[in-house]
């Protein structure tokens, strides 16, 4: 009987060990998925990556928008170039203009008038804005002409064509020698290069009190040939 008891005891111990091993195995199996939890979070990374893809799409969308703006910018630049082409040469340059002046005073006028002619000798049409710069040189210094204030807008000067503007000045009726005029300086609109011409009008101006220039200049087109 003692042998059987020992055998049963041994079997009980073995069973206990087997049960423990099974429990440990089950615990291990239960813990096995635990490392899989990060693996479960791994799909969340693609989910997050998917958000990144959306952001990337948004960024690409922005990039396309920028390309559209750039395209429009180029379109605007092309339009500006087209405008320049329609003007056929843009603004008139001093070197492309033949500038002359002639007396255009009509008897009985309250003021003397000099007509300045601008002839386009360039290779194409060009544009002149409203006023040229005018300075009258005298033995007492230069006088800058004042604009008359009219605003007709810019004018296109065809190749080979001419346009005129007037320079008005007061007659010297003081009986004195007055101020002697020695030259006329003309600067085409929007240009910095000037042309100096002989003065074709009356030889003198009346002496003024220094309150301002007595010379006035009209806009391009304000005078015609001979008057």
């Amino acid at each position: 009987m003692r042998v059987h008891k020992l055998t049963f005891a041994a079997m009980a111990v073995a069973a206990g060990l087997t049960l423990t091993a099974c429990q440990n195995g089950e615990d291990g199996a239960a813990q096995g998925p635990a490392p899989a939890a990060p693996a479960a979070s791994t799909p969340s990374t693609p989910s997050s990556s998917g958000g990144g893809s959306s952001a990337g799409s948004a960024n690409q969308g922005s990039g396309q928008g920028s390309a559209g703006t750039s395209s429009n910018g180029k379109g605007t630049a092309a339009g500006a170039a087209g405008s320049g082409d329609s003007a056929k040469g843009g603004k008139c340059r001093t070197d492309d203009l033949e500038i002359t002046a002639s007396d255009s005073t009509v008897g009985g006028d309250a003021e003397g008038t000099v007509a300045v002619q601008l002839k386009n000798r360039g290779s194409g049409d060009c544009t002149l804005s409203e006023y040229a710069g005018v300075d009258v040189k005298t033995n007492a210094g230069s006088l800058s002409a004042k604009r008359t204030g009219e605003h007709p807008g810019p004018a296109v000067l065809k190749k080979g064509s001419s346009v005129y503007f007037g320079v008005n000045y007061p007659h010297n009726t003081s009986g004195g020698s007055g101020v002697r005029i020695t030259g006329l300086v003309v600067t085409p609109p929007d240009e910095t290069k000037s042309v100096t011409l002989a003065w074709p009008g009356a030889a003198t101006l009346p002496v003024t009190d220094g309150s301002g220039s007595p010379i006035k200049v009209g806009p391009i087109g304000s005078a015609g040939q001979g008057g």
Side-chain angles (χ1 to χ4, degrees), residues 95-98 119-126 158-160:
D95 290 339
D96 292 329
L97 296 172
E98 181 181 342
K119 182 176 182 179
N120 181 4
R121 62 183 182 184
S123 59
D125 300 352
C126 62
K158 299 290 185 180
K159 176 183 176 181

Side-chain angles (χ1 to χ4, degrees), residues 132-159:
V134 170
D135 293 285
V136 174
K137 299 171 70 174
T138 76
N139 62 337
S142 292
L143 295 171
S144 294
K146 294 181 178 179
R147 296 178 178 182
T148 57
E150 302 162 77
H151 296 287
V156 174
L157 184 58
K158 299 290 185 180
K159 176 183 176 181

Side-chain angles (χ1 to χ4, degrees), residues 4-111:
H4 287 294
K5 286 180 181 179
L6 289 173
T7 301
F8 286 131
M11 292 175 64
V13 170
L17 291 173
T18 301
L19 180 60
T20 301
C22 291
Q23 288 175 346
N24 289 338
E26 290 175 359
D27 291 342
Q31 293 174 359
S41 66
T42 304
S44 68
T45 303
S47 174
S48 171
S49 174
S53 298
S54 299
S57 300
N59 291 336
Q60 289 174 359
S62 300
Q64 291 171 355
S66 300
T69 302
S70 176
S71 175
N72 290 338
K74 290 179 181 177
T76 302
S83 299
D85 291 340
S86 65
K88 295 184 179 179
K91 68 180 181 180
C92 299
R93 302 288 184 177
T94 302
D95 290 339
D96 292 329
L97 296 172
E98 181 181 342
I99 305 175
T100 57
S102 59
D103 185 10
S104 189
T105 304
V106 177
D109 285 352
E111 294 181 310

